[in-house]
Amino acid sequence: MRSSFSDWVRRAVGSKSSKIEDKDGPRYPINSLEFRERRLADWAFMIGDWAVAYKTYKSLCGVYENDKLHAYVGSANEMMAICLLMLREAQQLAAKTYGLYHTHTHP
């Protein structure tokens, strides 16, 4: 869903990528959709919404691969891996908590 939305916005704006080249290498400007989408993923990660963060990082991987920014793909993949680990930990903790509530409320 997010990927199709991003694609729709890019078509509506009329550009495929906001990537710019400078002396430090390729990057995205602050007002670009890619930069804002990365910021959204990072904020979702920071507040603990790892599912949204994972989906957003995954969407960004496709954009970064199209722009041939391999370092960006690598960093997004690392964040996706951390999100998956955190999701698994959260599910295990929820199951443990449910088990504790169940045993203490139903002796």
Side-chain angles (χ1 to χ4, degrees):
M1 174 70 182
R2 181 168 308 283
S3 180
S4 60
F5 176 73
S6 298
D7 293 340
W8 177 81
V9 170
R10 284 187 190 88
R11 281 194 304 271
V13 172
S15 70
K16 293 187 178 184
S17 174
S18 302
K19 179 178 76 167
I20 58 174
E21 301 278 343
D22 64 6
K23 63 179 172 53
D24 297 325
R27 63 180 176 86
Y28 295 106
I30 292 174
N31 61 349
S32 69
L33 180 61
E34 295 87 357
F35 185 88
R36 291 178 183 180
E37 199 168 352
R38 176 62 190 240
R39 172 100 18 116
L40 172 68
D42 292 341
W43 276 102
F45 183 86
M46 284 188 279
I47 63 170
D49 194 346
W50 298 295
V52 169
Y54 175 83
K55 290 175 187 174
T56 309
Y57 288 125
K58 187 173 183 177
S59 170
L60 283 167
C61 277
V63 174
Y64 296 157
E65 286 173 358
N66 286 340
D67 290 343
K68 295 179 178 42
L69 293 174
H70 304 295
Y72 283 55
V73 174
S75 68
N77 279 330
E78 288 175 358
M79 294 304 291
M80 286 170 49
I82 295 170
C83 287
L84 288 175
L85 289 172
M86 297 303 284
L87 280 168
R88 188 177 66 181
E89 291 293 324
Q91 289 170 351
Q92 290 173 350
L93 183 60
K96 181 179 178 181
T97 303
Y98 175 76
L100 288 171
Y101 285 141
H102 186 66
T103 53
H104 291 293
T105 56
H106 302 296

